[in-house]
Amino acid sequence: MVSSFATIQELDTVDAIQLITTQTQFEASHRIVLKFSTSGNSQPDLYCANSYGSTLIPPTLNNNTLSYEIPKHISKKLGKVQWTLLNGGSPLSGQFEIQPLRQVSSLETYIGPPSIEAGGTDYTMLVVIPTDSLDNPLPENTAVTAKHQFLKSETSEVIFTEHLIAYKNMFSKRESGRMLVSSESLKHNSKEFVINVFPAIPTDFKISATRPHDYADGNQMTTFTTTIIKDKQNNIISDGTFVDFFITTPNGNVLKTSGTTVDGIATSKIIHPDHDTQWSIKSFVEGMAESNTLSISYKQVITEFNVAFSKDNRTINVGPLQSFMQQMIPDGLQVKLLVYKDGTLLETWSNTSINGFANFYLKPDVLKKDRYDIIVKTAGLTKTFNNRTLW
């Protein structure tokens, strides 16, 4: 391939130097020699400049001909080269053009983003730069075939380089999945690229609750489950999508439990309350989707319990604590003991049941000998013992 060459100025000099070379285009990496005829013995340097830099080239003189060989670092790079013969007050100048080799050595391929949203509005861009063995981009309008495969469809389209690159926007389909992308130019193929087409944002969904029983035993677990959460294109949302379950109690307190989706379904568990109550549950994929409101009730499981004082009223045994079949309540039920003096709360202790009982000991170095009001709370029930003397 060749390069354009235009003589800007040719003036008679003392040594009558004139340009001999008429070729105007050169192929990259080929030997390029500019020749001038001369009537004297002067040997001026040739100044050459391109987009990569500039250099001075000394001549060789043979039979009244000045020869200037363009160095490889200039001749292997495509583009225009400006030259000026530094022959005193009347310099000659011009330009020539170097074009790339007519063969593809590699396809510089870029694609991104690597993941897009299903629905047909989001897209990834494929950018291809065919280059020759000298790393020069090929000329304008070089054909590039862009190919992609998605689900059961395979497509290809010919695009052409413009400003040395070829590009194509590849839009998603309604479905989610993996898109395989490659390109080809002059029988040279790129490697395979993978684009993940993820579902769009989720739409509203429903929730349900399952539990072993409806008693407030503070032990069993209630499981919340969503329906299959999908986007507006009916694609199941991505695994790992975070779902929050908010539980509002009658007194306005809010409990929270969370889960992540697997095959579009999220589940989460929470322990039963320890007293009768009604919960209002609503679930959210934060900022994107929400569920219906679910209401569930729990029955009181403990209706009565005993409190026994011994050892100068300082040892307090609470129990037996019995569940809905009169069995001992499972270990871990919280029991609180509060001590008041003249209406002022002095101490609060908390303990958990073991084998249906909870035990407290009021140390003399904490509560001296005196009369106190003692309150025991568990499972939503309260028992008060006024004017108990601690010895």
Side-chain angles (χ1 to χ4, degrees), residues 296-316:
I296 55 175
S297 299
Y298 293 88
K299 299 176 184 177
Q300 182 72 24
V301 71
I302 296 177
T303 57
E304 183 59 44
F305 63 91
N306 295 324
V307 178
F309 292 81
S310 61
K311 292 186 178 181
D312 301 331
N313 286 337
R314 291 186 178 274
T315 297
I316 303 173

Side-chain angles (χ1 to χ4, degrees), residues 247-251 273 275-281 295-298:
I247 303 160
T248 305
T249 63
N251 59 6
H275 59 280
D276 66 317
T277 189
Q278 182 168 333
W279 283 352
S280 176
I281 306 102
S295 294
I296 55 175
S297 299
Y298 293 88

Side-chain angles (χ1 to χ4, degrees), residues 345-359:
L345 178 64
L346 301 181
E347 299 290 342
T348 299
W349 286 278
S350 182
N351 205 346
T352 54
S353 65
I354 299 176
N355 296 325
F357 290 87
N359 303 310

Side-chain angles (χ1 to χ4, degrees), residues 1-5 23-27 96-99:
M1 296 215 177
V2 269
S3 131
S4 90
F5 183 115
Q23 187 173 347
T24 58
Q25 295 181 338
F26 300 88
E27 193 172 68
F96 58 88
E97 185 177 356
I98 300 174
Q99 294 186 343

Side-chain angles (χ1 to χ4, degrees), residues 12-300:
D12 290 336
T13 65
V14 174
D15 290 336
I17 298 176
Q18 291 185 343
L19 176 66
I20 299 175
T21 302
T22 59
Q23 187 173 347
T24 58
Q25 295 181 338
F26 300 88
E27 193 172 68
S29 80
H30 285 199
R31 185 169 180 260
I32 303 175
V33 179
L34 297 185
K35 295 183 177 182
F36 298 83
S37 64
T38 180
S39 60
N41 294 321
S42 64
Q43 299 181 37
D45 289 338
L46 182 73
Y47 173 80
C48 286
N50 66 0
S51 58
Y52 293 91
S54 59
T55 188
L56 288 176
I57 304 171
T60 58
L61 178 61
N62 186 20
N63 295 328
N64 294 325
T65 299
L66 293 169
S67 299
Y68 297 87
E69 183 169 355
I70 306 301
K72 286 290 185 182
H73 73 272
I74 292 179
S75 65
K76 71 179 183 180
K77 295 297 184 182
L78 84 164
K80 292 183 178 181
V81 179
Q82 307 287 338
W83 62 264
T84 301
L85 187 65
L86 304 177
N87 58 330
S90 301
L92 299 176
S93 41
Q95 66 180 22
F96 58 88
E97 185 177 356
I98 300 174
Q99 294 186 343
L101 302 175
R102 280 290 184 181
Q103 59 185 24
V104 176
S105 175
S106 66
L107 292 176
E108 292 189 23
T109 308
Y110 307 91
I111 193 164
S115 59
I116 56 178
E117 183 181 284
T121 58
D122 200 6
Y123 63 90
T124 188
M125 176 181 282
L126 173 69
V127 177
V128 183
I129 307 174
T131 59
D132 64 16
S133 58
L134 299 172
D135 202 32
N136 293 307
L138 266 63
E140 297 281 288
N141 295 317
T142 297
V144 175
T145 303
K147 311 173 186 177
H148 82 275
Q149 180 272 330
F150 183 73
L151 300 180
K152 295 182 179 180
S153 67
E154 295 183 25
T155 62
S156 62
E157 181 181 344
V158 177
I159 54 180
F160 296 91
T161 58
E162 182 180 357
H163 304 303
L164 306 180
I165 69 171
Y167 67 92
K168 177 176 174 56
N169 294 333
M170 294 187 170
F171 285 83
S172 64
K173 308 298 183 184
R174 291 177 58 86
E175 301 83 7
S176 60
R178 301 179 76 200
M179 181 189 297
L180 305 181
V181 181
S182 68
S183 59
E184 177 187 354
S185 181
L186 300 180
K187 298 183 179 180
H188 192 93
N189 290 278
S190 72
K191 69 176 185 178
E192 177 182 280
F193 294 88
V194 177
I195 301 299
N196 291 307
V197 183
F198 289 116
I201 62 174
T203 55
D204 291 348
F205 54 95
K206 296 184 180 299
I207 57 173
S208 60
T210 56
R211 48 188 173 167
H213 54 67
D214 60 355
Y215 290 100
D217 62 353
N219 177 66
Q220 295 298 321
M221 305 292 291
T222 295
T223 300
F224 302 120
T225 306
T226 69
T227 55
I228 297 177
I229 305 175
K230 299 182 178 182
D231 67 8
K232 61 183 178 180
Q233 315 296 338
N234 209 36
N235 298 305
I236 297 175
I237 65 170
S238 303
D239 287 354
T241 300
F242 208 73
V243 181
D244 291 319
F245 298 85
F246 291 93
I247 303 160
T248 305
T249 63
N251 59 6
N253 292 332
V254 178
L255 310 175
K256 177 185 173 183
T257 182
S258 303
T260 54
T261 57
V262 177
D263 295 331
I265 298 174
T267 62
S268 189
K269 298 178 182 291
I270 193 168
I271 196 168
H272 284 205
D274 60 5
H275 59 280
D276 66 317
T277 189
Q278 182 168 333
W279 283 352
S280 176
I281 306 102
K282 193 174 181 68
S283 180
F284 297 88
V285 179
E286 187 173 357
M288 290 179 277
E290 62 183 53
S291 73
N292 58 311
T293 300
L294 181 67
S295 294
I296 55 175
S297 299
Y298 293 88
K299 299 176 184 177
Q300 182 72 24

